[in-house]
């Protein structure tokens, strides 16, 4: 297989660099221990010799298939294949991993979105369409990598104990058939599924609400078990994450006002069901 874009190691990601360098070094040592040249190994695993050197030099993130085949060729008994558990975490962009860590630790997540369906609620086809629409465009491999990262964050719904999750979405966002009508239907069905979970409150901001405190953009607040919190808003504090109490109070006030102006959870689910019936 040829070398593909989208699996380079981010030099600013110190942890990612360390993990991939360690995996690459272990692969090289095992290859040399069985007396295989890089060219021979490349043929055996079905990848280019240049890619083998990049992986072993810690310059390239190996795919799971690469590690599985290397394990088989080197007779590693599953030890090389097991490295995927570490590799799969660093294959996602650093910013996404950091966001995922925060979401995984939070006991409460409150999110208002005005332009898109939040990543935590997107199905894969919807996420793929959104990411692929970026300009300048991402490579196909980059798109798949980012879709996988977005879906990995949704493990928050499988946590025990379950966190309290609150979402407010704009009606206009729900009416846009991103990805085509079939994907749109599946996305609406996913929203209904999530909105019925015991730990989720999902609300819709109707179009006939002419103004509200979220018109500047996204508002997000995450609260943690130790009583700390972090939040951000596109329209406040330069859009940067903040943990200052006075800033958090502003964000919570804005979010609370938005929730009060939105349809109730029951009305919101009924509205989504109505949209689904119209598709």
């Amino acid at each position: 297989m040829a070398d593909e874009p989208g699996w380079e190691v981010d030099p600013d990601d110190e942890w990612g660099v360390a993990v991939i360098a360690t995996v690459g070094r272990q692969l090289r040592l095992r290859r040399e221990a069985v007396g295989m040249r890089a060219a021979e190994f490349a043929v055996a695993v079905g990848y280019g010799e240049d890619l083998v050197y990049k992986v072993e030099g810690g310059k390239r993130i190996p795919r799971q298939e690469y590690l599985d085949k290397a394990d088989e060729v080197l007779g590693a008994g599953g030890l090389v294949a097991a490295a995927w558990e570490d590799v799969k975490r660093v294959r996602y962009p650093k910013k996404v991993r950091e966001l995922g860590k925060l979401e995984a630790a939070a006991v409460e997540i409150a999110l208002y979105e005005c332009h898109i369906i939040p990543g935590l609620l997107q199905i894969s086809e919807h996420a793929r369409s959104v990411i692929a629409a970026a300009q300048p465009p991402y490579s196909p491999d980059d798109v798949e990598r980012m879709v996988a990262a977005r879906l990995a964050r949704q493990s928050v719904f499988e946590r025990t104990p379950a966190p309290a999750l609150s979402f407010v979405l704009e009606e206009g966002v729900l009416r846009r058939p991103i990805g085509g009508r079939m994907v749109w239907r599946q996305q609406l069905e996913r929203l209904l599924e999530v909105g019925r979970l015991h730990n989720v409150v999902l609300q819709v901001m109707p179009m006939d609400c002419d103004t509200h405190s979220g018109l500047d953009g996204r508002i997000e607040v995450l609260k943690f078990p130790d009583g700390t919190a972090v939040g951000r808003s596109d329209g406040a504090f330069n859009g940067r994450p903040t943990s200052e109490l006075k800033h958090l109070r502003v964000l919570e006030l804005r979010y609370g006002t938005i929730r009060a102006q939105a349809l109730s959870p029951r009305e919101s689910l009924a509205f989504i069901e109505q949209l689904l019936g119209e598709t």
Side-chain angles (χ1 to χ4, degrees), residues 85-278:
E85 291 303 311
D86 293 319
V87 172
K88 71 180 181 181
R89 294 183 177 89
V90 302
R91 65 166 293 210
Y92 303 140
K94 183 179 179 180
K95 289 184 178 179
V96 175
R97 291 205 315 269
E98 292 173 347
L99 176 58
K101 286 180 181 179
L102 289 174
E103 291 170 342
V107 293
E108 293 182 36
I109 298 176
L111 179 61
Y112 161 75
E113 272 285 8
C114 59
H115 301 304
I116 63 171
I117 291 174
L120 285 177
L121 300 177
Q122 293 178 9
I123 62 172
S124 59
E125 293 82 0
H126 182 102
R128 187 171 292 108
S129 295
V130 170
I131 295 170
Q135 291 294 336
Y138 296 109
S139 72
D141 203 60
D142 278 337
V143 170
E144 293 307 312
R145 183 181 178 190
M146 295 171 74
V147 169
R150 186 163 296 183
L151 297 182
R153 289 170 46 211
Q154 297 179 9
S155 62
V156 69
F157 293 107
E158 303 167 5
R159 281 174 45 197
T160 303
L165 304 170
S166 171
F167 302 94
V168 181
L169 313 180
E170 287 286 346
E171 175 184 339
V173 169
L174 302 182
R175 290 188 177 278
R176 179 169 290 153
I178 292 175
R181 289 196 170 271
M182 184 58 68
V183 172
W184 185 29
R185 284 188 57 86
Q186 293 171 350
Q187 181 62 72
L188 292 176
E189 289 170 350
R190 174 59 177 166
L191 293 178
L192 288 173
E193 177 187 356
V194 172
R196 294 181 179 125
L197 296 176
H198 75 281
N199 61 315
V200 175
V201 175
L202 192 151
Q203 294 176 258
V204 175
M205 179 64 73
M207 295 284 285
D208 60 10
C209 180
D210 59 351
T211 185
H212 60 75
S213 59
L215 295 179
D216 283 340
R218 166 193 285 204
I219 297 174
E220 184 174 20
V221 178
L222 290 79
K223 298 183 179 180
F224 306 103
D226 62 0
T228 61
V230 64
R232 72 183 182 92
S233 171
D234 293 340
F237 322 122
N238 297 316
R240 296 175 181 173
T242 179
S243 57
E244 291 189 32
L245 185 57
K246 62 180 181 179
H247 292 169
L248 292 171
R249 285 174 177 165
V250 170
L251 297 183
E252 289 185 318
L253 174 62
R254 292 184 180 182
Y255 187 74
T257 303
I258 289 171
R259 287 194 62 184
Q261 292 176 274
L263 299 177
S264 71
R266 178 175 294 183
E267 292 170 333
S268 297
L269 293 182
F271 176 77
I272 296 173
E273 288 177 339
Q274 178 185 333
L275 279 182
L276 188 59
E278 295 173 358

Side-chain angles (χ1 to χ4, degrees), residues 63-73 80-82 84:
R63 291 176 175 271
Q64 184 174 15
E65 311 90 81
Y66 182 99
L67 294 174
D68 288 344
K69 188 63 178 178
D71 191 282
E72 178 185 335
V73 170
V80 169
W84 176 249

